[in-house]
Coordinates of all heavy atoms in Angstrom, one line a residue:
M1 N -0.6 67.4 15.2 CA -0.9 67.0 13.9 C 0.1 66.1 13.3 O -0.2 65.1 12.6 CB -1.1 68.3 13.1 CG -1.7 68.0 11.7 SD -3.3 67.2 12.0 CE -4.3 68.1 10.9
K2 N 1.4 66.3 13.7 CA 2.5 65.5 13.1 C 2.3 64.1 13.7 O 2.5 63.1 12.9 CB 3.8 66.1 13.6 CG 5.0 65.5 12.9 CD 6.2 66.2 13.3 CE 7.3 66.1 12.3 NZ 8.5 66.8 12.7
G3 N 1.9 63.9 14.9 CA 1.7 62.6 15.5 C 0.6 61.8 14.8 O 0.7 60.6 14.6
A4 N -0.5 62.5 14.4 CA -1.6 61.9 13.7 C -1.1 61.4 12.3 O -1.5 60.3 11.9 CB -2.7 62.9 13.5
A5 N -0.2 62.2 11.6 CA 0.3 61.8 10.3 C 1.2 60.5 10.5 O 1.1 59.6 9.7 CB 1.1 62.9 9.7
V6 N 2.0 60.5 11.5 CA 2.8 59.3 11.8 C 1.9 58.1 12.1 O 2.2 57.0 11.6 CB 3.8 59.6 12.9 CG1 4.5 58.3 13.4 CG2 4.8 60.6 12.5
L7 N 0.9 58.3 12.9 CA 0.0 57.2 13.2 C -0.7 56.6 11.9 O -0.8 55.4 11.7 CB -1.0 57.6 14.2 CG -2.0 56.6 14.8 CD1 -1.2 55.5 15.4 CD2 -3.0 57.2 15.7
V8 N -1.2 57.6 11.1 CA -1.8 57.1 9.8 C -0.8 56.4 8.9 O -1.2 55.4 8.4 CB -2.4 58.4 9.1 CG1 -2.9 58.0 7.7 CG2 -3.6 58.9 9.9
S9 N 0.4 56.9 8.9 CA 1.4 56.2 8.0 C 1.7 54.8 8.6 O 1.9 53.9 7.8 CB 2.7 57.0 8.0 OG 2.5 58.3 7.4
L10 N 1.8 54.7 9.9 CA 2.1 53.4 10.5 C 0.9 52.4 10.2 O 1.1 51.3 9.9 CB 2.3 53.6 12.0 CG 2.6 52.3 12.8 CD1 3.9 51.6 12.3 CD2 2.8 52.6 14.3
F11 N -0.3 52.9 10.4 CA -1.5 52.1 10.1 C -1.5 51.6 8.6 O -1.7 50.5 8.4 CB -2.8 52.9 10.4 CG -4.0 52.1 10.0 CD1 -4.4 51.1 10.8 CD2 -4.7 52.5 8.9 CE1 -5.6 50.4 10.4 CE2 -5.9 51.8 8.5 CZ -6.3 50.7 9.3
M12 N -1.1 52.5 7.7 CA -1.1 52.1 6.3 C 0.0 51.1 6.0 O -0.2 50.2 5.3 CB -0.9 53.4 5.4 CG -2.1 54.3 5.4 SD -1.8 55.9 4.6 CE -1.2 55.4 3.0
L13 N 1.1 51.2 6.7 CA 2.2 50.2 6.6 C 1.7 48.9 7.1 O 1.9 47.8 6.4 CB 3.4 50.7 7.3 CG 4.6 49.7 7.3 CD1 5.1 49.5 5.9 CD2 5.7 50.2 8.2
V14 N 1.0 48.8 8.2 CA 0.5 47.6 8.8 C -0.5 47.0 7.8 O -0.4 45.8 7.6 CB -0.1 47.8 10.2 CG1 -0.9 46.6 10.6 CG2 1.0 48.2 11.2
V15 N -1.3 47.7 7.2 CA -2.3 47.2 6.3 C -1.6 46.6 5.1 O -2.0 45.5 4.6 CB -3.3 48.3 5.9 CG1 -4.2 47.9 4.7 CG2 -4.2 48.7 7.0
V16 N -0.6 47.3 4.6 CA 0.1 46.7 3.4 C 0.8 45.4 3.8 O 0.7 44.5 3.0 CB 1.1 47.8 2.9 CG1 2.1 47.2 1.9 CG2 0.4 49.0 2.2
V17 N 1.5 45.4 4.9 CA 2.2 44.2 5.3 C 1.2 43.0 5.5 O 1.4 41.9 5.1 CB 3.0 44.4 6.6 CG1 3.5 43.1 7.2 CG2 4.1 45.4 6.3
V18 N 0.0 43.3 6.1 CA -1.0 42.2 6.3 C -1.5 41.7 5.0 O -1.7 40.6 4.8 CB -2.1 42.7 7.2 CG1 -3.3 41.8 7.2 CG2 -1.6 43.0 8.6
Q19 N -1.7 42.6 4.0 CA -2.2 42.2 2.7 C -1.1 41.4 2.0 O -1.5 40.5 1.2 CB -2.6 43.4 1.9 CG -3.9 44.1 2.4 CD -4.2 45.3 1.6 OE1 -3.4 45.9 0.9 NE2 -5.5 45.8 1.8
L20 N 0.2 41.7 2.2 CA 1.2 41.0 1.5 C 1.4 39.6 2.0 O 1.7 38.7 1.3 CB 2.5 41.7 1.6 CG 2.6 43.0 0.8 CD1 4.0 43.7 1.1 CD2 2.5 42.8 -0.7
G21 N 1.2 39.4 3.3 CA 1.3 38.1 3.9 C 0.1 37.2 3.5 O -1.0 37.6 3.6
E22 N 0.3 36.0 3.1 CA -0.8 35.1 2.7 C -0.7 33.9 3.6 O 0.4 33.4 3.8 CB -0.7 34.7 1.2 CG -0.9 35.9 0.3 CD -0.8 35.5 -1.2 OE1 -1.0 34.3 -1.4 OE2 -0.6 36.3 -2.0
A23 N -1.8 33.4 3.9 CA -1.9 32.1 4.7 C -1.7 31.0 3.7 O -2.0 31.1 2.5 CB -3.2 32.0 5.4
I24 N -1.1 29.9 4.2 CA -0.9 28.8 3.4 C -2.2 28.1 3.2 O -3.1 28.2 4.1 CB 0.2 27.8 4.0 CG1 0.6 26.7 3.1 CG2 -0.3 27.3 5.3 CD1 1.8 26.0 3.5
N25 N -2.4 27.4 2.1 CA -3.7 26.7 1.9 C -3.4 25.3 1.5 O -2.3 24.9 1.2 CB -4.6 27.4 0.8 CG -3.9 27.4 -0.5 OD1 -3.6 26.4 -1.1 ND2 -3.7 28.6 -1.1
C26 N -4.5 24.5 1.6 CA -4.3 23.0 1.4 C -4.0 22.7 -0.1 O -3.3 21.7 -0.3 CB -5.6 22.3 1.8 SG -5.9 22.3 3.6
G27 N -4.3 23.6 -1.0 CA -3.9 23.3 -2.4 C -2.4 23.4 -2.5 O -1.8 22.6 -3.2
E28 N -1.8 24.4 -1.8 CA -0.3 24.5 -1.9 C 0.3 23.3 -1.2 O 1.3 22.7 -1.7 CB 0.1 25.8 -1.2 CG -0.2 27.0 -1.9 CD 0.1 28.3 -1.1 OE1 -0.4 28.4 0.1 OE2 0.9 29.1 -1.5
V29 N -0.2 22.9 -0.1 CA 0.4 21.8 0.7 C 0.2 20.5 -0.1 O 1.2 19.7 -0.3 CB -0.3 21.6 2.1 CG1 0.2 20.4 2.8 CG2 0.0 22.8 2.9
G30 N -1.0 20.3 -0.6 CA -1.2 19.1 -1.4 C -0.4 19.0 -2.7 O 0.2 18.0 -3.1
G31 N -0.3 20.2 -3.4 CA 0.5 20.2 -4.6 C 2.0 19.9 -4.3 O 2.7 19.3 -5.1
A32 N 2.5 20.5 -3.2 CA 3.9 20.3 -2.8 C 4.2 18.8 -2.4 O 5.2 18.3 -2.8 CB 4.3 21.2 -1.7
L33 N 3.3 18.3 -1.7 CA 3.5 16.9 -1.1 C 2.9 15.8 -2.0 O 3.1 14.6 -1.7 CB 3.0 16.8 0.3 CG 3.7 17.8 1.3 CD1 3.1 17.6 2.7 CD2 5.2 17.6 1.3
G34 N 2.2 16.1 -3.0 CA 1.6 15.1 -3.9 C 2.7 14.1 -4.4 O 2.4 12.8 -4.4
P35 N 3.9 14.5 -4.8 CA 4.9 13.5 -5.2 C 5.4 12.6 -4.1 O 6.1 11.6 -4.4 CB 6.1 14.4 -5.7 CG 5.4 15.7 -6.0 CD 4.3 15.9 -5.0
C36 N 5.0 12.8 -2.9 CA 5.4 12.0 -1.7 C 4.4 10.8 -1.5 O 4.8 9.9 -0.7 CB 5.5 12.8 -0.5 SG 6.7 14.1 -0.5
V37 N 3.3 10.8 -2.2 CA 2.3 9.7 -1.9 C 2.9 8.3 -2.2 O 2.7 7.5 -1.3 CB 1.0 10.0 -2.7 CG1 0.1 8.8 -2.7 CG2 0.3 11.2 -2.2
P38 N 3.6 8.1 -3.3 CA 4.2 6.7 -3.4 C 5.1 6.3 -2.3 O 5.0 5.2 -1.8 CB 5.0 6.8 -4.7 CG 4.3 7.9 -5.5 CD 3.9 8.9 -4.4
Y39 N 5.9 7.2 -1.8 CA 6.8 6.9 -0.7 C 6.0 6.7 0.6 O 6.3 5.8 1.4 CB 7.8 8.1 -0.4 CG 8.5 8.0 0.9 CD1 9.5 7.0 1.1 CD2 8.2 8.8 2.0 CE1 10.1 6.9 2.3 CE2 8.8 8.7 3.2 CZ 9.8 7.7 3.4 OH 10.4 7.6 4.6
L40 N 5.0 7.5 0.8 CA 4.2 7.4 2.1 C 3.3 6.2 2.1 O 2.9 5.7 3.2 CB 3.3 8.7 2.2 CG 4.1 10.0 2.5 CD1 3.2 11.2 2.4 CD2 4.8 9.9 3.8
T41 N 3.0 5.6 0.9 CA 2.1 4.5 0.9 C 2.8 3.2 0.6 O 2.3 2.1 0.9 CB 0.9 4.7 -0.1 OG1 1.5 4.9 -1.4 CG2 0.0 5.8 0.3
Q42 N 4.0 3.3 -0.1 CA 4.7 2.1 -0.5 C 6.0 1.9 0.2 O 6.6 0.8 0.1 CB 4.9 2.1 -2.0 CG 3.6 2.1 -2.8 CD 3.8 2.5 -4.2 OE1 4.9 2.4 -4.8 NE2 2.7 2.8 -4.9
G43 N 6.6 3.0 0.7 CA 7.9 2.9 1.3 C 9.0 3.2 0.3 O 8.7 3.8 -0.8
G44 N 10.2 2.7 0.5 CA 11.3 2.9 -0.4 C 12.0 4.2 0.0 O 12.2 4.5 1.1
D45 N 12.4 4.9 -1.0 CA 13.0 6.2 -0.9 C 12.2 7.3 -1.4 O 11.6 7.2 -2.5 CB 14.4 6.2 -1.6 CG 15.4 5.3 -1.0 OD1 15.5 5.2 0.3 OD2 16.1 4.6 -1.8
P46 N 12.1 8.5 -0.8 CA 11.3 9.6 -1.3 C 12.0 10.1 -2.6 O 13.3 10.2 -2.6 CB 11.3 10.6 -0.2 CG 12.4 10.3 0.7 CD 12.7 8.8 0.5
S47 N 11.2 10.5 -3.5 CA 11.8 11.0 -4.8 C 12.4 12.5 -4.6 O 12.1 13.1 -3.6 CB 10.7 11.1 -5.9 OG 9.7 12.0 -5.5
G48 N 13.1 12.9 -5.5 CA 13.7 14.3 -5.4 C 12.5 15.3 -5.4 O 12.6 16.3 -4.7
S49 N 11.5 15.1 -6.2 CA 10.4 16.0 -6.3 C 9.6 16.0 -5.0 O 9.1 17.0 -4.5 CB 9.5 15.7 -7.5 OG 9.0 14.4 -7.4
C50 N 9.6 14.8 -4.3 CA 8.9 14.7 -3.0 C 9.7 15.6 -2.0 O 9.1 16.4 -1.3 CB 8.9 13.3 -2.5 SG 8.4 13.1 -0.8
C51 N 11.0 15.4 -2.0 CA 11.8 16.2 -1.0 C 11.8 17.7 -1.3 O 11.8 18.5 -0.4 CB 13.3 15.7 -1.0 SG 13.4 14.1 -0.2
D52 N 11.7 18.0 -2.6 CA 11.5 19.5 -3.0 C 10.2 20.0 -2.4 O 10.2 21.1 -1.9 CB 11.6 19.6 -4.5 CG 12.9 19.4 -5.1 OD1 13.9 19.4 -4.3 OD2 13.0 19.3 -6.3
G53 N 9.2 19.2 -2.5 CA 7.9 19.6 -1.9 C 7.9 19.7 -0.4 O 7.3 20.7 0.1
V54 N 8.6 18.8 0.3 CA 8.8 19.0 1.7 C 9.5 20.3 2.1 O 9.1 21.0 3.0 CB 9.6 17.7 2.3 CG1 9.9 18.0 3.8 CG2 8.7 16.5 2.1
K55 N 10.5 20.6 1.4 CA 11.3 21.8 1.6 C 10.4 23.0 1.3 O 10.5 24.0 2.0 CB 12.6 21.8 0.7 CG 13.6 20.8 1.1 CD 14.7 20.6 0.2 CE 15.6 19.5 0.6 NZ 16.6 19.1 -0.4
K56 N 9.6 22.9 0.3 CA 8.7 24.0 0.0 C 7.7 24.3 1.1 O 7.4 25.4 1.5 CB 7.9 23.8 -1.3 CG 7.0 24.9 -1.7 CD 6.3 24.6 -3.1 CE 5.4 25.8 -3.4 NZ 4.8 25.6 -4.7
V57 N 7.1 23.2 1.6 CA 6.2 23.3 2.7 C 6.9 24.0 3.9 O 6.3 24.9 4.6 CB 5.5 22.0 3.1 CG1 4.7 22.1 4.4 CG2 4.6 21.5 2.0
V58 N 8.1 23.6 4.2 CA 8.8 24.2 5.3 C 9.0 25.7 5.1 O 8.8 26.5 6.0 CB 10.2 23.5 5.6 CG1 11.0 24.3 6.6 CG2 9.9 22.1 6.0
Q59 N 9.4 26.1 3.9 CA 9.5 27.5 3.5 C 8.2 28.3 3.6 O 8.2 29.4 4.0 CB 10.1 27.6 2.1 CG 11.5 27.2 2.0 CD 12.0 27.2 0.5 OE1 11.2 27.2 -0.4 NE2 13.3 27.1 0.3
L60 N 7.1 27.6 3.3 CA 5.8 28.3 3.3 C 5.2 28.4 4.7 O 4.1 28.9 4.9 CB 4.8 27.5 2.4 CG 5.1 27.6 0.9 CD1 4.2 26.7 0.2 CD2 5.0 29.0 0.4
T61 N 5.9 27.8 5.7 CA 5.3 27.8 7.1 C 6.2 28.4 8.1 O 6.6 27.7 9.1 CB 5.0 26.3 7.5 OG1 6.2 25.5 7.3 CG2 3.9 25.7 6.6
P62 N 6.5 29.7 8.0 CA 7.4 30.3 9.0 C 6.8 30.6 10.3 O 7.5 30.7 11.3 CB 7.9 31.6 8.3 CG 6.7 31.9 7.4 CD 6.1 30.6 6.9
T63 N 5.5 30.7 10.4 CA 4.8 31.0 11.7 C 4.1 29.8 12.2 O 3.8 28.8 11.5 CB 3.8 32.1 11.5 OG1 2.7 31.6 10.7 CG2 4.4 33.3 10.8
Q64 N 3.8 29.9 13.5 CA 3.1 28.8 14.2 C 1.8 28.6 13.5 O 1.4 27.4 13.3 CB 2.9 29.0 15.7 CG 2.2 27.9 16.4 CD 2.0 28.2 17.8 OE1 2.4 29.2 18.4 NE2 1.4 27.2 18.5
Q65 N 1.1 29.6 13.2 CA -0.2 29.5 12.5 C -0.1 28.8 11.2 O -0.9 28.0 10.8 CB -0.9 30.9 12.4 CG -2.4 30.8 11.9 CD -3.3 30.0 12.8 OE1 -3.4 30.3 14.0 NE2 -3.9 28.9 12.3
D66 N 0.9 29.2 10.4 CA 1.1 28.5 9.1 C 1.4 27.0 9.3 O 0.9 26.2 8.5 CB 2.4 29.1 8.4 CG 2.2 30.6 7.9 OD1 1.0 31.0 7.7 OD2 3.2 31.3 7.9
R67 N 2.2 26.7 10.3 CA 2.4 25.3 10.6 C 1.2 24.5 11.0 O 1.0 23.4 10.6 CB 3.6 25.1 11.6 CG 4.9 25.5 11.0 CD 6.1 25.2 12.0 NE 6.0 26.1 13.2 CZ 6.6 27.3 13.3 NH1 7.1 27.9 12.2 NH2 6.5 27.9 14.4
E68 N 0.4 25.2 11.8 CA -0.9 24.5 12.3 C -1.8 24.3 11.0 O -2.4 23.3 10.9 CB -1.6 25.4 13.3 CG -1.1 25.3 14.7 CD -1.9 26.1 15.7 OE1 -3.1 26.4 15.4 OE2 -1.3 26.5 16.7
D69 N -1.9 25.3 10.2 CA -2.7 25.2 9.0 C -2.2 24.1 8.1 O -3.0 23.3 7.6 CB -2.8 26.5 8.2 CG -3.5 27.6 9.0 OD1 -4.2 27.3 10.0 OD2 -3.3 28.8 8.6
A70 N -0.9 24.1 7.8 CA -0.3 23.0 7.0 C -0.6 21.6 7.6 O -0.9 20.7 6.9 CB 1.2 23.2 6.8
C71 N -0.4 21.6 8.9 CA -0.7 20.3 9.7 C -2.1 19.8 9.4 O -2.4 18.7 9.2 CB -0.4 20.5 11.1 SG -0.8 19.1 12.2
E72 N -3.1 20.8 9.5 CA -4.5 20.4 9.3 C -4.7 19.9 7.9 O -5.5 18.9 7.7 CB -5.4 21.6 9.6 CG -5.5 21.9 11.1 CD -6.2 20.9 12.0 OE1 -6.8 20.0 11.5 OE2 -6.0 21.0 13.2
C73 N -4.0 20.5 6.9 CA -4.1 20.0 5.5 C -3.6 18.6 5.4 O -4.2 17.8 4.7 CB -3.4 21.0 4.6 SG -4.1 22.6 4.5
M74 N -2.4 18.4 6.0 CA -1.8 17.1 5.9 C -2.6 16.0 6.6 O -2.7 14.9 6.2 CB -0.4 17.1 6.4 CG 0.6 17.9 5.5 SD 2.3 17.8 6.0 CE 2.3 19.0 7.3
K75 N -3.2 16.4 7.8 CA -4.0 15.5 8.5 C -5.2 15.1 7.7 O -5.6 13.9 7.7 CB -4.5 16.2 9.8 CG -5.3 15.4 10.7 CD -5.6 16.2 12.0 CE -6.6 15.5 12.9 NZ -6.9 16.3 14.1
A76 N -5.9 16.0 7.0 CA -7.0 15.7 6.2 C -6.6 14.8 5.0 O -7.3 13.9 4.7 CB -7.7 17.0 5.7
A77 N -5.5 15.1 4.4 CA -5.0 14.3 3.3 C -4.7 12.9 3.8 O -5.0 11.9 3.1 CB -3.8 14.9 2.7
A78 N -4.0 12.8 5.0 CA -3.7 11.4 5.5 C -4.9 10.6 5.8 O -4.8 9.4 5.6 CB -2.9 11.6 6.8
A79 N -6.0 11.2 6.1 CA -7.2 10.4 6.4 C -7.8 9.8 5.1 O -8.5 8.8 5.2 CB -8.3 11.4 7.0
R80 N -7.4 10.3 3.9 CA -7.8 9.7 2.7 C -7.0 8.5 2.2 O -7.4 7.8 1.3 CB -7.8 10.8 1.6 CG -8.8 11.9 1.8 CD -8.9 12.8 0.6 NE -7.7 13.5 0.2 CZ -7.3 14.7 0.6 NH1 -8.1 15.4 1.3 NH2 -6.2 15.3 0.2
Y81 N -5.9 8.2 2.9 CA -5.0 7.1 2.5 C -5.0 6.1 3.6 O -4.3 6.2 4.6 CB -3.6 7.6 2.2 CG -3.5 8.5 1.0 CD1 -3.6 9.9 1.1 CD2 -3.4 7.9 -0.3 CE1 -3.5 10.7 0.0 CE2 -3.4 8.7 -1.4 CZ -3.4 10.1 -1.3 OH -3.4 10.9 -2.4
S82 N -5.8 5.0 3.5 CA -5.8 4.0 4.5 C -4.5 3.2 4.6 O -4.2 2.6 5.6 CB -7.0 3.0 4.3 OG -6.9 2.4 3.0
N83 N -3.7 3.2 3.5 CA -2.5 2.5 3.4 C -1.2 3.4 3.7 O -0.1 3.0 3.4 CB -2.3 1.8 2.1 CG -2.4 2.8 0.9 OD1 -2.8 3.9 1.0 ND2 -1.9 2.4 -0.2
L84 N -1.5 4.5 4.4 CA -0.3 5.4 4.7 C 0.6 4.6 5.7 O 0.1 4.1 6.7 CB -0.9 6.6 5.4 CG 0.1 7.7 5.7 CD1 0.6 8.4 4.4 CD2 -0.5 8.7 6.7
K85 N 1.8 4.6 5.5 CA 2.8 4.0 6.4 C 3.3 5.0 7.4 O 4.0 5.9 7.1 CB 4.0 3.4 5.6 CG 3.6 2.3 4.6 CD 4.8 1.8 3.9 CE 4.5 0.6 3.0 NZ 4.1 -0.6 3.7
P86 N 2.9 4.8 8.7 CA 3.3 5.7 9.7 C 4.8 5.9 9.8 O 5.3 7.1 10.0 CB 2.7 5.1 11.0 CG 1.7 4.2 10.6 CD 2.1 3.7 9.2
D87 N 5.6 4.9 9.6 CA 7.0 5.0 9.7 C 7.6 5.9 8.6 O 8.5 6.7 8.8 CB 7.7 3.7 9.8 CG 7.4 2.8 8.6 OD1 6.3 2.8 8.1 OD2 8.3 2.0 8.2
A88 N 7.0 5.7 7.4 CA 7.4 6.5 6.3 C 7.1 8.0 6.5 O 7.9 8.9 6.2 CB 6.8 6.0 5.0
A89 N 5.9 8.2 7.0 CA 5.5 9.6 7.3 C 6.3 10.3 8.4 O 6.8 11.4 8.2 CB 4.0 9.6 7.8
S90 N 6.7 9.5 9.4 CA 7.5 10.1 10.5 C 8.9 10.4 10.1 O 9.6 11.3 10.6 CB 7.4 9.3 11.8 OG 8.0 8.0 11.5
N91 N 9.4 9.6 9.1 CA 10.8 9.7 8.7 C 10.9 10.6 7.5 O 12.1 10.9 7.1 CB 11.3 8.3 8.3 CG 11.5 7.4 9.5 OD1 11.8 7.9 10.6 ND2 11.3 6.2 9.3
L92 N 9.8 11.1 6.9 CA 9.9 11.8 5.6 C 10.8 13.1 5.8 O 11.7 13.3 4.9 CB 8.5 12.2 5.1 CG 8.5 13.0 3.8 CD1 9.2 12.3 2.7 CD2 7.0 13.3 3.5
P93 N 10.6 13.9 6.7 CA 11.5 15.1 6.8 C 12.9 14.8 6.9 O 13.8 15.3 6.1 CB 11.0 15.9 8.1 CG 9.6 15.4 8.2 CD 9.5 14.0 7.8
S94 N 13.3 13.9 7.8 CA 14.7 13.5 7.9 C 15.3 12.8 6.7 O 16.4 13.0 6.3 CB 15.0 12.7 9.2 OG 14.3 11.4 9.0
R95 N 14.4 12.0 6.0 CA 14.9 11.4 4.8 C 15.2 12.4 3.7 O 15.9 12.1 2.8 CB 13.8 10.4 4.3 CG 13.6 9.2 5.2 CD 14.7 8.2 5.2 NE 15.1 7.6 3.9 CZ 14.6 6.5 3.4 NH1 13.7 5.8 4.1 NH2 14.9 6.1 2.2
C96 N 14.5 13.6 3.8 CA 14.7 14.7 2.8 C 15.7 15.7 3.3 O 16.0 16.7 2.7 CB 13.4 15.3 2.5 SG 12.3 14.3 1.6
G97 N 16.3 15.4 4.5 CA 17.3 16.3 5.1 C 16.7 17.6 5.6 O 17.4 18.7 5.5
V98 N 15.5 17.6 6.1 CA 14.8 18.8 6.5 C 14.4 18.6 8.0 O 14.0 17.5 8.4 CB 13.5 18.9 5.6 CG1 12.7 20.1 6.2 CG2 13.9 19.1 4.2
T99 N 14.5 19.7 8.7 CA 14.0 19.8 10.1 C 12.7 20.6 10.1 O 12.7 21.7 9.5 CB 15.0 20.4 11.0 OG1 16.2 19.6 10.9 CG2 14.5 20.4 12.4
T100 N 11.7 20.2 10.7 CA 10.4 20.9 10.8 C 9.7 20.7 12.1 O 9.9 19.6 12.6 CB 9.5 20.6 9.6 OG1 8.3 21.4 9.7 CG2 9.1 19.2 9.5
A101 N 8.9 21.7 12.5 CA 8.2 21.5 13.7 C 6.8 20.9 13.4 O 6.0 20.6 14.4 CB 8.0 22.9 14.4
I102 N 6.5 20.7 12.2 CA 5.2 20.1 11.8 C 5.3 18.6 12.2 O 6.2 17.9 11.8 CB 4.9 20.2 10.3 CG1 4.8 21.7 10.0 CG2 3.5 19.5 10.0 CD1 4.7 22.0 8.5
P103 N 4.3 18.1 13.0 CA 4.4 16.7 13.5 C 4.2 15.7 12.4 O 3.9 16.0 11.2 CB 3.3 16.7 14.5 CG 2.3 17.7 14.1 CD 3.1 18.8 13.4
I104 N 4.3 14.4 12.8 CA 4.1 13.3 11.9 C 2.7 13.4 11.2 O 1.8 13.8 11.8 CB 4.1 12.0 12.8 CG1 5.5 11.8 13.4 CG2 3.7 10.8 12.0 CD1 5.5 10.7 14.5
I105 N 2.7 13.1 10.0 CA 1.5 13.1 9.2 C 0.6 11.9 9.6 O 1.0 10.8 9.4 CB 1.8 13.0 7.7 CG1 2.7 14.1 7.2 CG2 0.5 13.0 6.9 CD1 3.3 14.0 5.9
S106 N -0.5 12.2 10.2 CA -1.4 11.2 10.7 C -2.8 11.7 10.8 O -3.0 12.9 11.1 CB -0.9 10.7 12.1 OG -1.9 10.0 12.7
P107 N -3.8 10.9 10.6 CA -5.2 11.4 10.7 C -5.5 11.8 12.2 O -6.5 12.4 12.4 CB -6.0 10.2 10.3 CG -5.2 9.3 9.6 CD -3.8 9.6 10.1
T108 N -4.7 11.4 13.1 CA -5.0 11.7 14.5 C -4.1 12.7 15.2 O -4.2 13.0 16.3 CB -4.9 10.4 15.4 OG1 -3.6 9.9 15.2 CG2 -5.9 9.3 14.9
T109 N -3.3 13.4 14.4 CA -2.4 14.4 14.9 C -3.1 15.5 15.5 O -4.1 16.0 14.9 CB -1.5 14.9 13.7 OG1 -0.7 13.8 13.2 CG2 -0.5 16.0 14.2
N110 N -2.6 16.0 16.6 CA -3.2 17.2 17.3 C -2.4 18.4 16.7 O -1.3 18.7 17.2 CB -3.1 17.1 18.8 CG -3.6 18.4 19.5 OD1 -4.1 19.3 18.8 ND2 -3.4 18.5 20.8
C111 N -2.9 19.1 15.7 CA -2.2 20.2 15.1 C -2.1 21.4 16.0 O -1.3 22.3 15.7 CB -2.9 20.5 13.8 SG -2.8 19.2 12.6
K112 N -2.9 21.5 17.0 CA -2.9 22.7 17.9 C -1.6 22.6 18.8 O -1.2 23.6 19.4 CB -4.1 22.7 18.8 CG -5.4 23.0 18.1 CD -5.3 24.4 17.4 CE -6.6 24.7 16.7 NZ -6.5 25.9 15.9
S113 N -0.9 21.4 18.8 CA 0.3 21.3 19.6 C 1.5 21.6 18.8 O 2.6 21.5 19.3 CB 0.4 19.9 20.1 OG 0.6 19.0 19.1
V114 N 1.4 22.1 17.6 CA 2.5 22.4 16.7 C 3.2 23.7 17.3 O 2.5 24.7 17.5 CB 2.1 22.7 15.3 CG1 3.2 23.2 14.4 CG2 1.5 21.4 14.7
P115 N 4.5 23.6 17.5 CA 5.2 24.8 18.0 C 5.4 25.9 17.0 O 5.3 25.6 15.8 CB 6.5 24.3 18.5 CG 6.7 23.0 17.9 CD 5.4 22.5 17.4

């Protein structure tokens, strides 16, 4: 009987942990990276709010699935901007002093390859 109580307690803990964890969504990604659009389309230097957004996305994507989901959001957003500068997109994380496993923002990125 004691083993059953431990098993039930463990199950309840797993349920609580799963409910607390939330998947990242495109609204969060878009909101965080919205300030980066001028840099990504015109070049120059990314703004402080852009870099804050990049850092926020990195914080919101601790797991591979989170990074894949964020990548898909960025891929969809990139497809809406025909004037996206690939060099600006590829340099954005380093220009903001951030390291991330999310690949270059591009409409053709294979998000399943995200580590």
